[in-house]
Amino acid sequence: MRFMIMHKLDETVPGSYQPTPEFLALLGPFMEEVTKSGVMLAGEGLRPSTDNAARVKVTDKKTTITDGPFTETKELIAGFVLVDVRDKAEAVEIARRFADVFAQTGLDVEIDVRRVTEFEDITAG
């Protein structure tokens, strides 16, 4: 099963947050371990919404495009890890360990763990 583990910004992390050397020193070994385990398919941090961001919204068949920055930082995804694991419990454990990296540097974080819809999920039945 594939799961996307997404970490969000919150009020304590400004939209232009750049990882500190301390954070990267803790994150690096964790990401290397998850990569070597063979479950990580991708993992990226996202640029701040001040840097070439746009939001496309359709309401009542009308498309609106808004350029960043976006003020609702608590709803912005700051980065993600895509993993292929046995079950949700394994994905949640990876997310918990990822959250520990934030906690060790004093940053608050909210992490969503969401199962990726597979082609078979929408074509079955």
Side-chain angles (χ1 to χ4, degrees):
M1 293 179 192
R2 291 185 306 154
F3 285 86
M4 183 170 277
I5 299 168
M6 301 166 282
H7 69 280
K8 299 178 182 182
L9 295 173
D10 73 7
E11 302 80 39
T12 65
V13 181
S16 61
Y17 172 74
Q18 293 297 313
T20 64
E22 177 188 17
F23 179 81
L24 292 174
L26 293 167
L27 181 65
F30 168 70
M31 295 295 276
E32 185 176 335
E33 178 185 332
V34 175
T35 300
K36 285 182 178 178
S37 74
V39 300
M40 188 161 121
L41 303 174
E44 306 291 337
L46 301 177
R47 302 283 302 178
S49 70
T50 57
D51 188 7
N52 290 311
R55 181 170 286 151
V56 180
K57 182 177 180 178
V58 176
T59 305
D60 296 325
K61 299 182 181 180
K62 181 180 177 194
T63 303
T64 305
I65 299 172
T66 306
D67 287 329
F70 307 121
T71 56
E72 291 297 319
T73 58
K74 67 181 181 219
E75 296 180 9
L76 292 178
I77 302 299
F80 69 92
V81 175
L82 183 63
V83 295
D84 190 354
V85 293
R86 292 180 305 273
D87 54 28
K88 178 178 136 187
E90 187 177 356
V92 169
E93 177 58 19
I94 292 169
R96 185 198 60 75
R97 293 183 57 223
F98 189 40
D100 286 347
V101 172
F102 284 86
Q104 290 177 49
T105 57
L107 292 172
D108 292 338
V109 68
E110 181 177 332
I111 297 178
D112 286 353
V113 177
R114 302 275 306 275
R115 186 167 174 209
V116 175
T117 300
E118 305 292 350
F119 182 73
E120 297 78 28
D121 295 334
I122 57 175
T123 59

